Amino acid sequence: MVVGFNIYSTQILLSEKDGIIQIMQSIAIDAYRYRSRSSSMHGGGGTYAGYELPSGLCNSEIGPFMVSHDGGRLVIIGPTASRDGTVRAIVDDDGSLKEIDLEGKFNITI
């Protein structure tokens, strides 16, 4: 019975992690659109500098998301609502998520 509960708990955890990564992909797409627009069109003119999360992507059911700038790259951090795990990812020049780091409760072995 304990093994069954552990498998169930792990599945819930993986589902939450997948949900966070899915939201991060939406943020990456939005950021890439911003980067692709010229500054005269209220875009980044080829950079992520100045990108801010839209309110709809900032606060989700899973938890609040944040972005920061690391050189020419964008960093997205997605903490869980319970604050016991985070997912951090880099958005590269083509809008793809790279270097996805799992911390806290997401650091599990299956």
Side-chain angles (χ1 to χ4, degrees):
M1 180 118 164
V2 172
V3 173
F5 179 74
N6 286 340
I7 291 171
Y8 177 73
S9 297
T10 301
Q11 286 304 106
I12 289 173
L13 188 61
L14 292 173
S15 177
E16 184 178 357
K17 178 196 65 131
D18 290 345
I20 289 173
I21 291 174
Q22 184 177 17
I23 292 171
M24 290 176 131
Q25 287 174 330
S26 295
I27 293 170
I29 290 166
D30 185 65
Y32 184 71
R33 286 181 186 145
Y34 169 85
R35 182 181 191 276
S36 298
R37 285 193 310 265
S38 69
S39 53
S40 64
M41 299 280 296
H42 305 288
T47 71
Y48 292 115
Y51 175 75
E52 295 180 11
L53 280 174
S55 60
L57 292 175
C58 190
N59 295 310
S60 73
E61 297 172 358
I62 296 172
F65 286 79
M66 301 173 287
V67 294
S68 64
H69 303 278
D70 178 19
R73 304 181 307 175
L74 188 71
V75 180
I76 306 171
I77 302 168
T80 62
S82 56
R83 302 274 195 240
D84 52 0
T86 59
V87 179
R88 180 183 177 276
I90 303 290
V91 182
D92 67 7
D93 290 345
D94 66 1
S96 299
L97 290 181
K98 304 288 182 187
E99 300 176 36
I100 299 173
D101 295 321
L102 308 173
E103 299 174 1
K105 75 178 186 178
F106 294 122
N107 224 351
I108 59 172
T109 303
I110 301 172

